[in-house]
Amino acid sequence: MTSARSDFGELLHTWRDRLSPADAGFAVTRGRRAPGLRREELAQLAGLSVDYILRLEQGRARNPSAQVVGALARAMQLSRAERDELYRRAGLLPPQDGTIGTHVPPGIQRLTARLGDVPIGVFAADWTLVWWNGMWSALHGDPSMVPAGERNLARAVFGAGAARASVRPFRSDRAEGSFAASIVADLKDAMSRYPADARLDHLVRDLRATSEAFAQLWTTATASQHTSDRKTIRHPEIGDISLDCDVLVVPGADLRMVTYTAAAGSDDAGKLDLLRVTNGRAAGTLP
């Protein structure tokens, strides 16, 4: 084992120390010694193991993948320039222009963290889930338990893998089939704007080959504006919960924020409160 940190590990440690736990959605308790994020907290945010974070910082783990570096950059709320520097320190080329971005601006991450009572998921232009808060996990299940390559809404709707298996039953107030059609229309729009994006090309080719419904919609779906929807989600612990679902576009970042809310004082608002205090588990199941 080497005692010297790699340049990547030193930078990782420095930027981990810099990020306020409150900005990342963690409670700051009295007597806390860590000036920034603990390794356990960074590991949770990035979907990595604590041991791997430690080995990266100590220089014992080298050559992290682009997927790992991207997850760490988002977790530490790096600026675009800082993200690119982290890629270079890892010996990787930063994401190129003309491909779908997965960088989530720090301000958007702070917003999702501070709106802790609202389930929020942030999606890239190809409907890949790139960021979420604790309430999103409580409502929909923990995305970190799904392989990174499967954290995509189109795969959840049309695929046959882990993404589809992880989706909790739901129904929408919109016309039948309109939700699925809007996802395909969004992917067609993304293809027109990012023709060189290999990940998007692979996603579309895969779904066209494996899903008859997707292939049919690919030839017929037209662009449609996202509107507010009301969805009823069947939660395994609290039962049905009906919520208003809104899709908000992040200007300049080509990201979508999906939020779920309920009217104050309603039964569904009470169920959201229960999710918040139990982290998605009914009181009787807490350890």
Side-chain angles (χ1 to χ4, degrees):
M1 183 181 85
T2 177
S3 60
R5 288 180 180 163
S6 67
D7 289 344
F8 179 88
E10 187 170 359
L11 194 61
L12 180 63
H13 187 273
T14 298
W15 282 340
R16 174 171 66 82
D17 279 350
R18 183 186 67 178
L19 180 59
S20 164
D23 284 343
F26 295 102
V28 180
T29 57
R30 296 182 63 181
R32 181 184 175 103
R33 294 182 178 180
L37 288 185
R38 297 187 176 102
R39 290 192 184 94
E40 294 82 0
E41 292 165 341
L42 178 58
Q44 178 182 335
L45 291 172
L48 303 170
S49 71
V50 179
D51 177 67
Y52 187 52
I53 297 291
L54 177 61
R55 288 188 289 117
L56 283 171
E57 289 188 352
Q58 293 180 340
R60 295 186 291 123
R62 300 181 180 275
N63 304 316
S65 68
Q67 179 179 307
V68 166
V69 176
L72 288 168
R74 288 191 294 272
M76 293 186 296
Q77 301 183 11
L78 303 185
S79 68
R80 190 177 297 273
E82 290 169 340
R83 177 206 65 181
D84 290 352
E85 178 63 18
L86 194 66
Y87 272 86
R88 285 190 286 267
R89 293 284 186 100
L92 299 168
L93 287 175
Q96 302 299 299
D97 292 338
T99 58
I100 291 175
T102 60
H103 178 69
V104 182
I108 298 300
Q109 295 188 44
R110 289 192 291 270
L111 179 65
T112 63
R114 291 175 183 177
L115 293 178
D117 58 344
V118 177
I120 301 176
V122 182
F123 292 82
D126 61 353
W127 280 110
T128 292
L129 180 65
V130 294
W131 193 254
W132 61 90
N133 63 4
M135 277 296 288
W136 181 275
S137 297
L139 179 63
H140 291 291
D142 187 359
S144 67
M145 302 303 293
V146 178
E150 284 281 316
R151 295 175 200 160
N152 181 279
L153 188 55
R155 291 195 180 279
V157 174
F158 298 101
R164 182 66 174 266
S166 69
V167 175
R168 289 174 174 169
F170 74 94
R171 65 178 183 271
S172 169
D173 283 359
R174 294 174 62 185
E176 185 176 356
S178 62
F179 173 68
S182 69
I183 297 301
V184 178
D186 286 341
L187 291 185
K188 291 179 70 173
D189 176 65
M191 282 286 282
S192 71
R193 293 184 292 114
Y194 300 100
D197 191 282
R199 186 182 68 186
L200 175 59
D201 181 69
H202 174 73
L203 171 67
V204 171
R205 288 177 180 272
D206 187 25
L207 292 180
R208 291 185 73 179
T210 59
S211 170
E212 183 178 345
F214 183 91
Q216 182 176 357
L217 283 171
W218 187 258
T219 64
T220 60
T222 57
S224 58
Q225 185 176 8
H226 285 281
T227 58
S228 296
D229 189 12
R230 187 162 179 82
K231 292 184 179 179
T232 300
I233 299 165
R234 177 152 295 177
H235 192 279
E237 297 296 340
I238 67 171
D240 287 356
I241 177 171
S242 297
L243 302 167
D244 293 319
C245 177
D246 292 281
V247 180
L248 312 176
V249 176
V250 180
D254 208 358
L255 299 171
R256 298 180 180 92
M257 290 178 61
V258 178
T259 68
Y260 288 86
T261 58
S266 66
D267 289 344
D268 294 304
K271 290 180 179 181
L272 273 184
D273 287 340
L274 180 61
L275 285 177
R276 178 174 52 80
V277 299
T278 65
N279 196 29
R281 295 170 294 183
T285 67
L286 289 174

